[in-house]
Amino acid sequence: MNLDCGLRTRSCRVIQDTTMAVAALDLQEHGDGEIEEEEEDDDGLKQSCWANMPQELLREVLIRIESSEDKWPSRKNVVGCATVCRSWREIMKEIVKRPEISGILTFPISVKQPGPRESLLQCFIKRKRSTQTYFLYLSLTQALADDGKFLLAARKFRRTTCTDYIISLHADDMSKGSSRYIGKLRSNFLGTKFIVYDGLPPHDGAKMTKSRSTRFMGSTQVSPRVPAGSYPVAHISYELNMLGSRGPRRMQCIMDPIPTSSIEPGGVAPTQTEFPLSSGESFSSIPFFRSRSSCVEKSMSGVLGGQRDGPLVLKNKSPRWHEQLQCWCLNFQGRVTVASVKNFQLVATPPSGQSGPQYEKVILQFGKVGKDVFTMDYRYPISAFQAFAICLSSFDTKIACE
């Protein structure tokens, strides 16, 4: 018997059997790809003939599917396999590597995990002015803007003394009361200072900030399935322009849960591994972080317990003045085509007395390529969620900075 042929046949049948699950999740169209673990669904799935496959054969089949479906939209078949039953899900979670290693975003939790170490992950943002909404997509080609794979959405809510940007996993459901709510960006009145709040604790021991809007946003009550919190994970500030001179904005981002050492070789940043899925699960019982070795565990405990080397601080890379073009310029490697005060590149701020190539690497870059289209490229140690929130701050009006 030709084992390879047999495995391929099974792989095809697996993919066909999971089509209904993928359609129900609607991952590709709306980013609504959270893997549900409701007991009634598992009871039915456990009866599937696929749930009783020999573990060695099952693992081999799933490994081949994962390696062959390495790009979106075909990557949806990997997600489909993870919805078959609990045993399949656990195997797929072991097989699918984090973006830090693979450079691929697969499951919804990937947007909360640090990006690739070796390269920038290319994304783009589309702005819809009429509804004050913003949509983040993963680039599928080398084009500056293609159809893309939907990742996150945000909507702007103006208040008397501040502005909120509510960030969601769903393109059409952007309220803090939604089960797809994952965080928000809040600005001060002048639009010069921002705080990024995560809906989940970024690390063990993280303290939630109390807010008047913690329980309600609009008219929708917070879903009991996902305890929405407000954990500050970044503080963004734009330098005031007291002289009124024209020039590039100056910004600084303090990434509270990420240690400065994370950009060093072998450095570690906090990594969430899954979303809470039921009201009965407390934060302490949810394995937010994956341990990789005793050495890493020791390092992480030091980082999360006291962060002795301080939080990572990002600053915008200083542009140079181009005499012929009569404008400020940055090298975006062809990823930005339209001059805009919103364009920026962020690099790590070296501690006093230190230097090195790691402080020259661009960790996040954002720039305009069309009227309402902007590229967003990011890398380790920040996540797509954090990068998106930082870029949203650039859209906000800053009268005192320009």
mmCIF file of all heavy atoms in Angstrom, residues 155-166 184-197 212 234-238 389-390 392-399:
data_model
loop_
_atom_site.group_PDB
_atom_site.id
_atom_site.type_symbol
_atom_site.label_atom_id
_atom_site.label_comp_id
_atom_site.label_asym_id
_atom_site.label_seq_id
_atom_site.Cartn_x
_atom_site.Cartn_y
_atom_site.Cartn_z
ATOM 1 N N ARG A 155 -13.068 50.969 15.914
ATOM 2 C CA ARG A 155 -13.997 52.075 15.681
ATOM 3 C C ARG A 155 -13.707 53.192 16.672
ATOM 4 O O ARG A 155 -13.411 52.941 17.836
ATOM 5 C CB ARG A 155 -15.451 51.615 15.814
ATOM 6 C CG ARG A 155 -16.462 52.763 15.703
ATOM 7 C CD ARG A 155 -17.868 52.237 15.561
ATOM 8 N NE ARG A 155 -18.040 51.575 14.276
ATOM 9 C CZ ARG A 155 -19.060 50.763 13.989
ATOM 10 N NH1 ARG A 155 -19.980 50.508 14.901
ATOM 11 N NH2 ARG A 155 -19.157 50.206 12.799
ATOM 12 N N LYS A 156 -13.803 54.408 16.164
ATOM 13 C CA LYS A 156 -13.505 55.587 16.970
ATOM 14 C C LYS A 156 -14.758 56.077 17.680
ATOM 15 O O LYS A 156 -15.820 56.238 17.068
ATOM 16 C CB LYS A 156 -12.948 56.682 16.064
ATOM 17 C CG LYS A 156 -12.497 57.942 16.771
ATOM 18 C CD LYS A 156 -11.885 58.908 15.765
ATOM 19 C CE LYS A 156 -11.373 60.168 16.421
ATOM 20 N NZ LYS A 156 -10.738 61.087 15.435
ATOM 21 N N PHE A 157 -14.648 56.305 18.991
ATOM 22 C CA PHE A 157 -15.744 56.826 19.802
ATOM 23 C C PHE A 157 -15.270 58.115 20.460
ATOM 24 O O PHE A 157 -14.340 58.085 21.285
ATOM 25 C CB PHE A 157 -16.169 55.823 20.880
ATOM 26 C CG PHE A 157 -16.827 54.580 20.338
ATOM 27 C CD1 PHE A 157 -16.065 53.488 19.968
ATOM 28 C CD2 PHE A 157 -18.209 54.506 20.205
ATOM 29 C CE1 PHE A 157 -16.656 52.332 19.475
ATOM 30 C CE2 PHE A 157 -18.815 53.362 19.713
ATOM 31 C CZ PHE A 157 -18.038 52.265 19.335
ATOM 32 N N ARG A 158 -15.868 59.228 20.098
ATOM 33 C CA ARG A 158 -15.498 60.516 20.701
ATOM 34 C C ARG A 158 -16.234 60.704 22.022
ATOM 35 O O ARG A 158 -17.436 60.459 22.129
ATOM 36 C CB ARG A 158 -15.840 61.666 19.753
ATOM 37 C CG ARG A 158 -14.981 61.717 18.503
ATOM 38 C CD ARG A 158 -15.265 62.978 17.711
ATOM 39 N NE ARG A 158 -14.456 63.044 16.497
ATOM 40 C CZ ARG A 158 -13.216 63.509 16.449
ATOM 41 N NH1 ARG A 158 -12.642 63.941 17.560
ATOM 42 N NH2 ARG A 158 -12.551 63.543 15.307
ATOM 43 N N ARG A 159 -15.487 61.194 23.024
ATOM 44 C CA ARG A 159 -16.070 61.503 24.315
ATOM 45 C C ARG A 159 -15.754 62.950 24.667
ATOM 46 O O ARG A 159 -15.026 63.630 23.943
ATOM 47 C CB ARG A 159 -15.544 60.540 25.380
ATOM 48 C CG ARG A 159 -15.886 59.085 25.089
ATOM 49 C CD ARG A 159 -15.344 58.157 26.167
ATOM 50 N NE ARG A 159 -15.758 56.790 25.902
ATOM 51 C CZ ARG A 159 -16.943 56.277 26.214
ATOM 52 N NH1 ARG A 159 -17.847 57.050 26.823
ATOM 53 N NH2 ARG A 159 -17.253 55.038 25.938
ATOM 54 N N THR A 160 -16.258 63.411 25.783
ATOM 55 C CA THR A 160 -16.082 64.812 26.165
ATOM 56 C C THR A 160 -14.617 65.155 26.394
ATOM 57 O O THR A 160 -14.127 66.188 25.937
ATOM 58 C CB THR A 160 -16.884 65.127 27.443
ATOM 59 O OG1 THR A 160 -18.247 64.752 27.237
ATOM 60 C CG2 THR A 160 -16.799 66.611 27.774
ATOM 61 N N THR A 161 -13.911 64.302 27.099
ATOM 62 C CA THR A 161 -12.529 64.604 27.471
ATOM 63 C C THR A 161 -11.498 63.693 26.822
ATOM 64 O O THR A 161 -10.297 63.854 27.056
ATOM 65 C CB THR A 161 -12.359 64.507 28.999
ATOM 66 O OG1 THR A 161 -12.717 63.178 29.426
ATOM 67 C CG2 THR A 161 -13.248 65.519 29.699
ATOM 68 N N CYS A 162 -11.937 62.720 26.043
ATOM 69 C CA CYS A 162 -10.992 61.782 25.443
ATOM 70 C C CYS A 162 -11.606 61.127 24.215
ATOM 71 O O CYS A 162 -12.759 61.379 23.868
ATOM 72 C CB CYS A 162 -10.577 60.710 26.456
ATOM 73 S SG CYS A 162 -11.941 59.628 26.972
ATOM 74 N N THR A 163 -10.825 60.292 23.562
ATOM 75 C CA THR A 163 -11.296 59.521 22.409
ATOM 76 C C THR A 163 -10.903 58.062 22.617
ATOM 77 O O THR A 163 -9.774 57.766 23.011
ATOM 78 C CB THR A 163 -10.672 60.035 21.103
ATOM 79 O OG1 THR A 163 -11.045 61.404 20.911
ATOM 80 C CG2 THR A 163 -11.145 59.215 19.914
ATOM 81 N N ASP A 164 -11.829 57.155 22.365
ATOM 82 C CA ASP A 164 -11.569 55.726 22.471
ATOM 83 C C ASP A 164 -11.594 55.079 21.096
ATOM 84 O O ASP A 164 -12.449 55.413 20.256
ATOM 85 C CB ASP A 164 -12.615 55.037 23.357
ATOM 86 C CG ASP A 164 -12.363 55.253 24.837
ATOM 87 O OD1 ASP A 164 -11.260 55.719 25.183
ATOM 88 O OD2 ASP A 164 -13.268 54.954 25.643
ATOM 89 N N TYR A 165 -10.686 54.154 20.868
ATOM 90 C CA TYR A 165 -10.704 53.294 19.695
ATOM 91 C C TYR A 165 -10.914 51.873 20.209
ATOM 92 O O TYR A 165 -10.020 51.294 20.829
ATOM 93 C CB TYR A 165 -9.397 53.377 18.914
ATOM 94 C CG TYR A 165 -9.148 54.707 18.234
ATOM 95 C CD1 TYR A 165 -8.622 55.785 18.945
ATOM 96 C CD2 TYR A 165 -9.419 54.883 16.880
ATOM 97 C CE1 TYR A 165 -8.375 57.003 18.330
ATOM 98 C CE2 TYR A 165 -9.177 56.097 16.251
ATOM 99 C CZ TYR A 165 -8.659 57.157 16.988
ATOM 100 O OH TYR A 165 -8.416 58.360 16.365
ATOM 101 N N ILE A 166 -12.085 51.313 19.955
ATOM 102 C CA ILE A 166 -12.407 49.968 20.415
ATOM 103 C C ILE A 166 -11.928 48.970 19.360
ATOM 104 O O ILE A 166 -12.280 49.078 18.184
ATOM 105 C CB ILE A 166 -13.917 49.805 20.661
ATOM 106 C CG1 ILE A 166 -14.399 50.852 21.666
ATOM 107 C CG2 ILE A 166 -14.230 48.394 21.156
ATOM 108 C CD1 ILE A 166 -13.699 50.803 23.001
ATOM 109 N N LYS A 184 -8.478 48.281 23.651
ATOM 110 C CA LYS A 184 -8.838 49.626 23.186
ATOM 111 C C LYS A 184 -7.630 50.557 23.288
ATOM 112 O O LYS A 184 -6.641 50.267 23.974
ATOM 113 C CB LYS A 184 -9.993 50.192 24.008
ATOM 114 C CG LYS A 184 -9.631 50.511 25.458
ATOM 115 C CD LYS A 184 -10.816 51.075 26.220
ATOM 116 C CE LYS A 184 -10.451 51.375 27.680
ATOM 117 N NZ LYS A 184 -11.600 51.867 28.451
ATOM 118 N N LEU A 185 -7.743 51.669 22.590
ATOM 119 C CA LEU A 185 -6.770 52.762 22.664
ATOM 120 C C LEU A 185 -7.510 53.987 23.160
ATOM 121 O O LEU A 185 -8.575 54.315 22.649
ATOM 122 C CB LEU A 185 -6.170 53.033 21.277
ATOM 123 C CG LEU A 185 -5.280 54.275 21.161
ATOM 124 C CD1 LEU A 185 -3.933 54.034 21.841
ATOM 125 C CD2 LEU A 185 -5.075 54.648 19.690
ATOM 126 N N ARG A 186 -6.969 54.668 24.160
ATOM 127 C CA ARG A 186 -7.617 55.874 24.690
ATOM 128 C C ARG A 186 -6.644 57.044 24.634
ATOM 129 O O ARG A 186 -5.482 56.919 25.022
ATOM 130 C CB ARG A 186 -8.084 55.652 26.131
ATOM 131 C CG ARG A 186 -8.538 56.924 26.835
ATOM 132 C CD ARG A 186 -9.316 56.628 28.100
ATOM 133 N NE ARG A 186 -10.634 56.082 27.781
ATOM 134 C CZ ARG A 186 -11.554 55.757 28.708
ATOM 135 N NH1 ARG A 186 -11.263 55.921 29.991
ATOM 136 N NH2 ARG A 186 -12.722 55.276 28.344
ATOM 137 N N SER A 187 -7.147 58.198 24.144
ATOM 138 C CA SER A 187 -6.307 59.397 24.047
ATOM 139 C C SER A 187 -6.759 60.445 25.049
ATOM 140 O O SER A 187 -7.889 60.405 25.554
ATOM 141 C CB SER A 187 -6.394 59.989 22.636
ATOM 142 O OG SER A 187 -7.623 60.675 22.464
ATOM 143 N N ASN A 188 -5.881 61.404 25.311
ATOM 144 C CA ASN A 188 -6.286 62.552 26.116
ATOM 145 C C ASN A 188 -6.979 63.574 25.217
ATOM 146 O O ASN A 188 -7.146 63.363 24.013
ATOM 147 C CB ASN A 188 -5.082 63.169 26.840
ATOM 148 C CG ASN A 188 -4.055 63.760 25.879
ATOM 149 O OD1 ASN A 188 -4.187 63.643 24.660
ATOM 150 N ND2 ASN A 188 -3.022 64.378 26.417
ATOM 151 N N PHE A 189 -7.381 64.691 25.788
ATOM 152 C CA PHE A 189 -8.155 65.686 25.040
ATOM 153 C C PHE A 189 -7.362 66.265 23.867
ATOM 154 O O PHE A 189 -7.908 66.508 22.781
ATOM 155 C CB PHE A 189 -8.594 66.807 25.986
ATOM 156 C CG PHE A 189 -9.358 67.911 25.301
ATOM 157 C CD1 PHE A 189 -10.679 67.708 24.905
ATOM 158 C CD2 PHE A 189 -8.768 69.133 25.038
ATOM 159 C CE1 PHE A 189 -11.390 68.709 24.267
ATOM 160 C CE2 PHE A 189 -9.475 70.144 24.395
ATOM 161 C CZ PHE A 189 -10.786 69.924 24.010
ATOM 162 N N LEU A 190 -6.058 66.483 24.046
ATOM 163 C CA LEU A 190 -5.234 67.088 23.002
ATOM 164 C C LEU A 190 -4.772 66.093 21.949
ATOM 165 O O LEU A 190 -4.274 66.484 20.900
ATOM 166 C CB LEU A 190 -3.998 67.753 23.639
ATOM 167 C CG LEU A 190 -4.248 68.951 24.551
ATOM 168 C CD1 LEU A 190 -2.942 69.424 25.166
ATOM 169 C CD2 LEU A 190 -4.916 70.090 23.771
ATOM 170 N N GLY A 191 -4.932 64.805 22.220
ATOM 171 C CA GLY A 191 -4.454 63.801 21.273
ATOM 172 C C GLY A 191 -2.944 63.662 21.290
ATOM 173 O O GLY A 191 -2.342 63.271 20.288
ATOM 174 N N THR A 192 -2.332 63.975 22.424
ATOM 175 C CA THR A 192 -0.871 63.890 22.545
ATOM 176 C C THR A 192 -0.415 62.701 23.375
ATOM 177 O O THR A 192 0.732 62.285 23.282
ATOM 178 C CB THR A 192 -0.304 65.168 23.184
ATOM 179 O OG1 THR A 192 -0.937 65.372 24.461
ATOM 180 C CG2 THR A 192 -0.572 66.375 22.289
ATOM 181 N N LYS A 193 -1.301 62.169 24.192
ATOM 182 C CA LYS A 193 -0.957 61.010 25.026
ATOM 183 C C LYS A 193 -2.024 59.936 24.875
ATOM 184 O O LYS A 193 -3.219 60.237 24.870
ATOM 185 C CB LYS A 193 -0.807 61.425 26.494
ATOM 186 C CG LYS A 193 0.358 62.384 26.748
ATOM 187 C CD LYS A 193 0.530 62.670 28.223
ATOM 188 C CE LYS A 193 1.658 63.672 28.463
ATOM 189 N NZ LYS A 193 2.964 63.155 28.006
ATOM 190 N N PHE A 194 -1.563 58.697 24.759
ATOM 191 C CA PHE A 194 -2.467 57.568 24.550
ATOM 192 C C PHE A 194 -2.070 56.419 25.471
ATOM 193 O O PHE A 194 -0.907 56.260 25.818
ATOM 194 C CB PHE A 194 -2.392 57.063 23.101
ATOM 195 C CG PHE A 194 -2.801 58.076 22.061
ATOM 196 C CD1 PHE A 194 -1.935 59.083 21.673
ATOM 197 C CD2 PHE A 194 -4.047 57.995 21.457
ATOM 198 C CE1 PHE A 194 -2.299 60.009 20.702
ATOM 199 C CE2 PHE A 194 -4.421 58.916 20.488
ATOM 200 C CZ PHE A 194 -3.549 59.920 20.114
ATOM 201 N N ILE A 195 -3.074 55.620 25.821
ATOM 202 C CA ILE A 195 -2.824 54.387 26.573
ATOM 203 C C ILE A 195 -3.493 53.239 25.827
ATOM 204 O O ILE A 195 -4.660 53.346 25.433
ATOM 205 C CB ILE A 195 -3.379 54.458 28.010
ATOM 206 C CG1 ILE A 195 -2.750 55.624 28.769
ATOM 207 C CG2 ILE A 195 -3.099 53.148 28.755
ATOM 208 C CD1 ILE A 195 -3.279 55.792 30.192
ATOM 209 N N VAL A 196 -2.743 52.166 25.621
ATOM 210 C CA VAL A 196 -3.286 50.962 24.996
ATOM 211 C C VAL A 196 -3.688 50.008 26.110
ATOM 212 O O VAL A 196 -2.878 49.674 26.983
ATOM 213 C CB VAL A 196 -2.250 50.282 24.077
ATOM 214 C CG1 VAL A 196 -2.850 49.021 23.444
ATOM 215 C CG2 VAL A 196 -1.777 51.253 23.003
ATOM 216 N N TYR A 197 -4.964 49.585 26.092
ATOM 217 C CA TYR A 197 -5.474 48.646 27.085
ATOM 218 C C TYR A 197 -5.755 47.297 26.433
ATOM 219 O O TYR A 197 -6.396 47.226 25.390
ATOM 220 C CB TYR A 197 -6.771 49.161 27.717
ATOM 221 C CG TYR A 197 -6.602 50.408 28.565
ATOM 222 C CD1 TYR A 197 -6.867 51.668 28.039
ATOM 223 C CD2 TYR A 197 -6.195 50.312 29.891
ATOM 224 C CE1 TYR A 197 -6.729 52.812 28.814
ATOM 225 C CE2 TYR A 197 -6.054 51.451 30.680
ATOM 226 C CZ TYR A 197 -6.315 52.702 30.135
ATOM 227 O OH TYR A 197 -6.169 53.823 30.901
ATOM 228 N N ARG A 212 -14.927 53.705 34.199
ATOM 229 C CA ARG A 212 -16.386 53.850 34.221
ATOM 230 C C ARG A 212 -17.040 53.075 33.092
ATOM 231 O O ARG A 212 -18.187 52.720 33.151
ATOM 232 C CB ARG A 212 -16.764 55.328 34.121
ATOM 233 C CG ARG A 212 -16.457 56.121 35.364
ATOM 234 C CD ARG A 212 -16.755 57.596 35.160
ATOM 235 N NE ARG A 212 -15.923 58.171 34.121
ATOM 236 C CZ ARG A 212 -16.023 59.420 33.702
ATOM 237 N NH1 ARG A 212 -16.952 60.219 34.206
ATOM 238 N NH2 ARG A 212 -15.215 59.876 32.767
ATOM 239 N N ALA A 234 0.672 49.700 26.961
ATOM 240 C CA ALA A 234 1.552 50.648 26.275
ATOM 241 C C ALA A 234 1.109 52.069 26.558
ATOM 242 O O ALA A 234 -0.086 52.357 26.653
ATOM 243 C CB ALA A 234 1.551 50.395 24.769
ATOM 244 N N HIS A 235 2.083 52.955 26.689
ATOM 245 C CA HIS A 235 1.833 54.391 26.836
ATOM 246 C C HIS A 235 2.525 55.113 25.693
ATOM 247 O O HIS A 235 3.737 54.977 25.509
ATOM 248 C CB HIS A 235 2.361 54.903 28.181
ATOM 249 C CG HIS A 235 1.559 54.455 29.364
ATOM 250 N ND1 HIS A 235 1.621 53.162 29.862
ATOM 251 C CD2 HIS A 235 0.666 55.122 30.145
ATOM 252 C CE1 HIS A 235 0.802 53.061 30.900
ATOM 253 N NE2 HIS A 235 0.208 54.230 31.091
ATOM 254 N N ILE A 236 1.751 55.846 24.913
ATOM 255 C CA ILE A 236 2.260 56.526 23.721
ATOM 256 C C ILE A 236 2.179 58.027 23.946
ATOM 257 O O ILE A 236 1.139 58.534 24.395
ATOM 258 C CB ILE A 236 1.433 56.136 22.476
ATOM 259 C CG1 ILE A 236 1.349 54.617 22.333
ATOM 260 C CG2 ILE A 236 2.016 56.770 21.212
ATOM 261 C CD1 ILE A 236 0.261 54.150 21.378
ATOM 262 N N SER A 237 3.228 58.734 23.628
ATOM 263 C CA SER A 237 3.214 60.193 23.788
ATOM 264 C C SER A 237 3.818 60.862 22.563
ATOM 265 O O SER A 237 4.789 60.356 21.978
ATOM 266 C CB SER A 237 3.988 60.607 25.046
ATOM 267 O OG SER A 237 5.336 60.185 24.986
ATOM 268 N N TYR A 238 3.208 61.961 22.168
ATOM 269 C CA TYR A 238 3.694 62.785 21.048
ATOM 270 C C TYR A 238 4.208 64.093 21.620
ATOM 271 O O TYR A 238 3.563 64.704 22.476
ATOM 272 C CB TYR A 238 2.572 63.041 20.040
ATOM 273 C CG TYR A 238 2.187 61.837 19.229
ATOM 274 C CD1 TYR A 238 1.314 60.876 19.744
ATOM 275 C CD2 TYR A 238 2.688 61.639 17.942
ATOM 276 C CE1 TYR A 238 0.954 59.762 19.009
ATOM 277 C CE2 TYR A 238 2.334 60.532 17.197
ATOM 278 C CZ TYR A 238 1.474 59.597 17.734
ATOM 279 O OH TYR A 238 1.119 58.492 16.993
ATOM 280 N N ALA A 389 -2.737 49.226 17.485
ATOM 281 C CA ALA A 389 -3.123 50.284 18.420
ATOM 282 C C ALA A 389 -2.191 51.490 18.313
ATOM 283 O O ALA A 389 -2.642 52.639 18.333
ATOM 284 C CB ALA A 389 -3.121 49.735 19.851
ATOM 285 N N ILE A 390 -0.894 51.234 18.168
ATOM 286 C CA ILE A 390 0.064 52.338 18.019
ATOM 287 C C ILE A 390 -0.217 53.117 16.742
ATOM 288 O O ILE A 390 -0.192 54.353 16.725
ATOM 289 C CB ILE A 390 1.512 51.802 18.022
ATOM 290 C CG1 ILE A 390 1.865 51.213 19.395
ATOM 291 C CG2 ILE A 390 2.499 52.916 17.664
ATOM 292 C CD1 ILE A 390 3.197 50.498 19.442
ATOM 293 N N LEU A 392 -3.075 53.379 15.199
ATOM 294 C CA LEU A 392 -4.329 54.119 15.360
ATOM 295 C C LEU A 392 -4.080 55.473 16.013
ATOM 296 O O LEU A 392 -4.766 56.457 15.702
ATOM 297 C CB LEU A 392 -5.319 53.313 16.210
ATOM 298 C CG LEU A 392 -5.964 52.080 15.554
ATOM 299 C CD1 LEU A 392 -6.795 51.316 16.573
ATOM 300 C CD2 LEU A 392 -6.824 52.488 14.359
ATOM 301 N N SER A 393 -3.085 55.544 16.884
ATOM 302 C CA SER A 393 -2.785 56.823 17.540
ATOM 303 C C SER A 393 -2.322 57.857 16.531
ATOM 304 O O SER A 393 -2.484 59.075 16.742
ATOM 305 C CB SER A 393 -1.721 56.626 18.621
ATOM 306 O OG SER A 393 -0.434 56.403 18.059
ATOM 307 N N SER A 394 -1.744 57.407 15.433
ATOM 308 C CA SER A 394 -1.272 58.340 14.410
ATOM 309 C C SER A 394 -2.416 58.976 13.637
ATOM 310 O O SER A 394 -2.279 60.073 13.076
ATOM 311 C CB SER A 394 -0.323 57.619 13.436
ATOM 312 O OG SER A 394 0.274 58.516 12.537
ATOM 313 N N PHE A 395 -3.580 58.298 13.602
ATOM 314 C CA PHE A 395 -4.739 58.835 12.894
ATOM 315 C C PHE A 395 -5.407 59.972 13.675
ATOM 316 O O PHE A 395 -6.073 60.815 13.084
ATOM 317 C CB PHE A 395 -5.771 57.729 12.662
ATOM 318 C CG PHE A 395 -5.406 56.762 11.577
ATOM 319 C CD1 PHE A 395 -5.018 55.453 11.881
ATOM 320 C CD2 PHE A 395 -5.444 57.128 10.238
ATOM 321 C CE1 PHE A 395 -4.681 54.557 10.886
ATOM 322 C CE2 PHE A 395 -5.105 56.242 9.222
ATOM 323 C CZ PHE A 395 -4.721 54.949 9.564
ATOM 324 N N ASP A 396 -5.261 59.966 14.974
ATOM 325 C CA ASP A 396 -5.973 60.932 15.807
ATOM 326 C C ASP A 396 -5.447 62.354 15.552
ATOM 327 O O ASP A 396 -4.244 62.556 15.329
ATOM 328 C CB ASP A 396 -5.814 60.583 17.285
ATOM 329 C CG ASP A 396 -6.993 61.058 18.118
ATOM 330 O OD1 ASP A 396 -8.139 60.776 17.725
ATOM 331 O OD2 ASP A 396 -6.765 61.734 19.126
ATOM 332 N N THR A 397 -6.322 63.337 15.596
ATOM 333 C CA THR A 397 -5.945 64.741 15.378
ATOM 334 C C THR A 397 -5.040 65.234 16.504
ATOM 335 O O THR A 397 -5.330 65.011 17.680
ATOM 336 C CB THR A 397 -7.197 65.621 15.324
ATOM 337 O OG1 THR A 397 -8.062 65.134 14.295
ATOM 338 C CG2 THR A 397 -6.814 67.066 15.026
ATOM 339 N N LYS A 398 -3.941 65.908 16.120
ATOM 340 C CA LYS A 398 -2.970 66.393 17.095
ATOM 341 C C LYS A 398 -2.667 67.871 16.822
ATOM 342 O O LYS A 398 -1.631 68.197 16.263
ATOM 343 C CB LYS A 398 -1.696 65.554 17.035
ATOM 344 C CG LYS A 398 -1.952 64.086 17.375
ATOM 345 C CD LYS A 398 -0.767 63.234 17.050
ATOM 346 C CE LYS A 398 -1.085 61.778 17.346
ATOM 347 N NZ LYS A 398 -2.228 61.277 16.583
ATOM 348 N N ILE A 399 -3.572 68.721 17.233
ATOM 349 C CA ILE A 399 -3.421 70.157 16.978
ATOM 350 C C ILE A 399 -2.167 70.711 17.633
ATOM 351 O O ILE A 399 -1.463 71.541 17.080
ATOM 352 C CB ILE A 399 -4.672 70.905 17.489
ATOM 353 C CG1 ILE A 399 -5.924 70.399 16.768
ATOM 354 C CG2 ILE A 399 -4.495 72.407 17.290
ATOM 355 C CD1 ILE A 399 -7.207 70.996 17.288
#
